[in-house]
Amino acid sequence: MTVAADSEIALSKKRQVAHLSVIALQGAEELGAKINEHLVEGRGKGKNKADNFLIKNECPRFSSGDAKGILRQSIRGDDVFIIADVGNYSCTYNLFGKENNMSPDDHFQDLKRIIQAAGGKAHRINVIMPVLYGGRQHKRNYRESLDCAIALQELESMGVANIITFDAHDSRVCNAVPLMGFDNIIPSYQVLKSLFTRVDNLKIDKDSFMMISPDEGALHRNMYYASVLGVELGMFYKRRDYSKILNGRNPIVAHEYLGNSVKGKDVFICDDIISSGESMLEVAQELKKREAARILIYATYPIFTDGLNVFDKACKEGIIDYVFGTNLTYRTPELLSREWYYDVDISKYIAYLIDALNHDVSTGTVIDPHAKIRALLQSYNNEK
């Protein structure tokens, strides 16, 4: 019996915690609509049938920049799931006659405004925040703020019961709120399924395929993939110049490689975020010098802060072959149009999580994808 079948049986035996409502904040409408479609489809034949779970909401602003949160429908007694994409910089608002792009700070304030608008009338409030607000500032090296930890404590004090995030930069930030539900989800199965579907002539064995961690921080992610796929793991570590600080960090002097030969092997590099992409491309160039075959890159959040030109050039020169990313945050139309980029849809997975939580069912089988990955790999190898 499959994990999905186990989950459906568990759901059928349980009642809802409360009526389900989903609130997609500004910037998360696309993801929210897809999640809603899956929820409506999944409950189409059950007792909890509904045509729409989305709640109309808005956060209008005055010309001075002040704002307020408004819920256009009642959520009294509901199990509310609020979806917030704090990384969506494409959203704008007018400030003193000028158009401003929304920052993570703006999105987080809107999230708090909508929680306030609920006025304590919801049965339970759950927040789905794929890009964890302040997540990259996860530790204190000098006299520095710890934004993510404080933000989580704020949400807890406002009555939020559960936080669901994806591939947090450092999941240990949950220690800031030990009594609040905190799930850090890694969409490994969805990524591998897309990889097997999109890339032709891919052989998953020790002689043909290898996992490479781009730095020490991403080691645990790549170690998991190497373990479930039964392939070797290599890694790079960043040698930094600690006597200088550029753009808030110590500059990288070189990427040093540790691991076995990658000669003639397809290489899969996994990380949580592609920001400028500079480090990822340097790693790819080093692997090409070592005669790696195809370079396959995955990042949960493909934000490309410095644009796409360097990746276009790298693809044209044969340094990289494919880049995979998820729809958990905003992707530009330009990125989605690139032939080298493939989008991994996580909306159905989130719908499963919402359904499980709404029925007070353990999310263990949904979160742990090991059995599904094993079945996927076996099916893929049998087809070959």
Side-chain angles (χ1 to χ4, degrees), residues 21 48 92 94 271:
S21 289
N48 301 322
T92 61
N94 289 321
D271 208 350

Side-chain angles (χ1 to χ4, degrees), residues 121-367:
K121 301 300 187 295
H123 175 79
R124 182 174 65 177
I125 290 182
N126 313 271
V127 172
I128 300 174
M129 191 189 298
V131 182
L132 194 58
Y133 173 76
R136 298 184 74 182
Q137 177 54 23
H138 60 102
K139 61 183 178 181
R140 178 176 283 160
N141 293 317
Y142 306 100
R143 291 175 179 169
E144 302 174 349
S145 62
L146 293 173
D147 297 38
C148 188
I150 292 297
L152 292 176
Q153 291 177 356
E154 274 191 277
L155 295 179
E156 183 181 36
S157 69
M158 296 180 75
V160 173
N162 296 296
I163 295 281
I164 298 173
T165 191
F166 286 80
D167 207 351
H169 194 67
D170 190 338
S171 60
R172 289 174 295 184
V173 73
C174 70
N175 293 333
V177 283
L179 299 181
M180 182 174 70
F182 185 98
D183 287 311
N184 178 42
I185 313 297
I186 311 294
S188 310
Y189 171 76
Q190 288 74 18
V191 173
L192 290 176
K193 187 176 180 180
S194 182
L195 182 72
F196 293 166
T197 303
R198 299 285 189 173
V199 181
D200 296 328
N201 303 317
L202 194 62
K203 293 183 179 180
I204 309 298
D205 58 54
K206 291 184 177 181
D207 297 325
S208 308
F209 191 84
M210 193 168 178
M211 293 298 308
I212 298 292
S213 177
D215 55 40
E216 57 274 24
L219 184 60
H220 68 283
R221 297 178 178 88
N222 291 274
M223 190 182 299
Y224 178 82
Y225 282 107
S227 177
V228 296
L229 295 177
V231 298
E232 291 184 338
L233 171 69
M235 72 164 287
F236 284 83
Y237 71 90
K238 297 173 181 176
R239 187 151 54 86
R240 296 181 180 272
D241 182 356
Y242 288 98
S243 66
K244 300 177 182 177
I245 296 179
L246 295 176
N247 297 323
R249 61 176 60 187
N250 304 109
I252 299 169
V253 176
H255 289 84
E256 305 289 353
Y257 177 67
L258 298 173
N260 294 333
S261 173
V262 298
K263 184 176 181 179
K265 296 181 181 180
D266 290 332
V267 171
F268 187 36
I269 309 171
C270 171
D271 208 350
D272 62 328
I273 185 172
I274 294 178
S275 186
S276 67
E278 179 183 347
S279 295
M280 194 71 84
L281 290 178
E282 288 179 4
V283 166
Q285 288 172 342
E286 290 296 324
L287 290 170
K288 280 297 183 180
K289 290 178 183 177
R290 292 168 171 79
E291 300 182 56
R294 291 179 292 183
I295 305 293
L296 318 171
I297 294 174
Y298 162 73
T300 308
Y301 303 108
I303 58 176
F304 295 97
T305 56
D306 289 353
L308 304 174
N309 291 338
V310 289
F311 276 80
D312 288 334
K313 182 180 178 183
C315 185
K316 187 176 181 179
E317 294 175 351
I319 297 173
I320 61 171
D321 294 273
Y322 301 95
V323 177
F324 292 82
T326 72
N327 62 339
L328 290 170
T329 192
Y330 174 71
R331 293 96 56 233
T332 64
E334 292 77 19
L335 174 62
L336 296 174
S337 70
R338 292 301 197 268
E339 293 183 357
W340 45 262
Y341 177 76
Y342 293 115
D343 218 29
V344 181
D345 186 7
I346 312 296
S347 59
K348 191 173 185 179
Y349 189 21
I350 298 177
Y352 281 143
L353 287 167
I354 290 175
D355 227 11
L357 288 170
N358 183 233
H359 285 82
D360 211 15
V361 171
S362 172
T363 57
T365 55
V366 183
I367 293 175

